[in-house]
Amino acid sequence: MAEKYVMALDQGTTSSRVIIFNKKGEIVSKAQKEFPQHYPKNGWVEHDPNEILFTEMESIIEVIREGAVNAKDIKAIGVTNQRETTIVWDKNTGKPVYNAIVWQCRRTAEYCEQLKAEGLGEYIKETTGLLIDAYFSATKIKWILDNVEGAREKAEKGELLFGTVDTWLIWNLTGGKVHVTDYSNACRTMLFDIDKLQWDPYLCEKFDIPMCMLPEVKPSSCVYGYCAKFPGIEDIAGIPIASSIGDQPGALFGQGCFEEGQAKNTYGTGCFLLMNTGEKRINSRSNLLTGIAWGLDGKVTYDLEGSAFNAGSVIKWLRDDLELIADAPECDELAMQVENTNGLYFVPAFTGLGAPYWDMYARGCMIGLTRAINKKHICRAVLESITFQMTDLLEAMMKDSGILLKDLRVDGGASISDIMMQIQANMTGVNVNRPKNREATALGAAYLAGLATGVWESTAEIEANRQVDKIFVPSMPEEERNKIYANWKRAVERSRNWER
């Protein structure tokens, strides 16, 4: 019998990727294309939706032409994506009416403050599991409708469609036939009732968003539609698109966190810590978010989530903007040459602070600078800052859930750093478990697509595929850890409310 393969489209914040997995969950072939970031004003972040689409299609072409897999043996396509990023397009022409407004964009922060003042926060938290923030899609949609000439009129006539990036990709891949998203993406819009599993009419009215713009919401694992025929990649025509899941719950699934209380952290552009809370939602007392991880086999799995907006992006900042390092590995090499940061603390609040602080007006700072500080200390402080943010989140998560974690499963590009993973274990006091396959986000989308099409029969079969690369065990004395962490908290307070 021919081998069965699943193709995952992993559309991230800085690049589009395509990865083909075999039945063992191993990578057979992959391609990646970066695309430009656009910063039209301070605090604004945009992407060109067509650049997202074209780079994803180019990556599909590359993996097919590589020839490692016969396209006829690809049984399904899964989609995973940067969440919250908002695209509005004309359903007749397929042309976006404006650039994609990226999850990092802060342009609607002032409007969010207005909503808080109006007392909408409690309703939004109770209905959507979210806190009012410019991070989420609702205020971005409203901004486009209010600021793009003619957009609101066209939307009210039913001529415009909204989607997060998964919706945009699936709509285009199916030749404009399928306008859909899944629970994990819908719940990040600030418009979706996570208990009733439907768009909330009151919130749509409050944000003045016509409900006809919104996609149909379905489980994360099911056949949504089939690929249309495209020049140069005719071979993918007819392949079922059988999963959609946001990047972070995708990684939770790809890491095999199927049981209540299991957690993972992804070290990407930002950092995202998620805990599986089973078939019940847990309302956070620590400013974490409650959401839907996935819908599978007629059931919905909820999660608790905390995020840090800037993680891997800080290492990129060191490389591209400060020019202190030539590449990411050099950050590790320099950091390992010193035993500590020599009292330096760095808070990477370039676009504000996420959970548990939710301070849109915080900005980055370095504190503890002396003449004894050199770039080795700065590199180490940058790595530590990423782990400190995750420690904040993990402590809040354990407090909310009442679950004491035994290990933290990790993935994402920056998780390759041994020194950072050891620091993370020291700061959290739990084992850090890194798998051999760190492409957990794409793997989660592939698994969900394969479950919908019979490539895999059960999550137990999937769990058996996971192989551990390394486990990092805490090795720092508790007294030393507590002192370092207390100083981090002091540094965070210096960064807060800077832009007010």
Side-chain angles (χ1 to χ4, degrees), residues 166-168 170-171 178-182 215-218 224 244:
D166 61 314
T167 303
W168 168 246
I170 293 170
W171 190 86
V178 178
H179 184 220
V180 70
T181 191
D182 87 304
E216 183 180 1
V217 186
K218 290 190 173 184
Y224 303 124
S244 172

Side-chain angles (χ1 to χ4, degrees), residues 47-252:
H47 294 155
D48 181 338
N50 285 320
E51 287 174 343
I52 289 175
L53 177 63
F54 295 157
T55 51
E56 202 69 69
M57 298 296 276
E58 285 175 343
S59 298
I60 292 173
I61 291 170
E62 187 172 318
V63 293
I64 295 296
R65 287 183 177 172
E66 187 180 288
V69 169
N70 188 323
K72 294 178 181 178
D73 295 326
I74 298 173
K75 302 304 177 185
I77 293 174
V79 177
T80 184
N81 57 287
Q82 50 165 315
R83 299 170 298 168
E84 300 93 22
T85 295
T86 296
I87 304 173
V88 175
W89 68 95
D90 187 307
K91 74 175 183 181
N92 297 312
T93 66
K95 293 181 179 179
V97 301
Y98 189 78
N99 271 349
I101 301 181
V102 179
W103 58 274
Q104 299 163 313
C105 187
R106 312 308 296 167
R107 76 184 65 192
T108 60
E110 189 174 330
Y111 176 56
C112 288
E113 290 301 319
Q114 179 186 324
L115 294 173
K116 292 177 187 177
E118 292 173 5
L120 195 62
E122 192 56 39
Y123 182 86
I124 284 179
K125 185 175 181 179
E126 180 62 30
T127 304
T128 70
L130 306 177
L131 303 174
I132 295 175
D133 196 85
Y135 187 13
F136 306 111
S137 307
T139 61
K140 303 178 194 295
I141 303 170
K142 178 175 171 58
W143 188 94
I144 291 174
L145 296 182
D146 288 345
N147 289 276
V148 175
E149 186 176 354
R152 181 163 296 285
E153 292 77 8
K154 293 185 76 173
E156 290 171 352
K157 291 178 184 177
E159 296 175 3
L160 296 186
L161 300 177
F162 152 74
T164 42
V165 175
D166 61 314
T167 303
W168 168 246
L169 290 176
I170 293 170
W171 190 86
N172 280 282
L173 284 169
T174 59
K177 291 181 179 179
V178 178
H179 184 220
V180 70
T181 191
D182 87 304
Y183 297 139
S184 73
N185 280 293
C187 77
R188 303 295 287 192
T189 61
M190 217 161 68
L191 297 170
F192 191 71
D193 188 318
I194 62 172
D195 295 314
K196 295 179 181 177
L197 304 181
Q198 64 185 32
W199 299 114
D200 184 75
Y202 173 73
L203 288 175
C204 291
E205 181 181 355
K206 178 65 181 176
F207 289 108
D208 204 9
I209 295 171
M211 294 186 74
C212 59
M213 295 179 67
L214 306 178
E216 183 180 1
V217 186
K218 290 190 173 184
S220 311
S221 178
C222 65
V223 175
Y224 303 124
Y226 300 86
C227 281
K229 184 178 288 187
F230 298 97
I233 42 173
E234 292 86 354
D235 289 351
I236 70 167
I239 297 176
I241 301 171
S243 77
S244 172
I245 191 164
D247 50 8
Q248 301 316 316
L252 189 71

Side-chain angles (χ1 to χ4, degrees), residues 11 32 102 130 140 288 347 384 410 413 417 426 458 467:
Q11 205 295 302
Q32 179 172 350
V102 179
L130 306 177
K140 303 178 194 295
L288 300 177
V347 182
E384 287 192 355
V410 298
S417 168
N426 291 344
S458 67
Q467 296 181 335

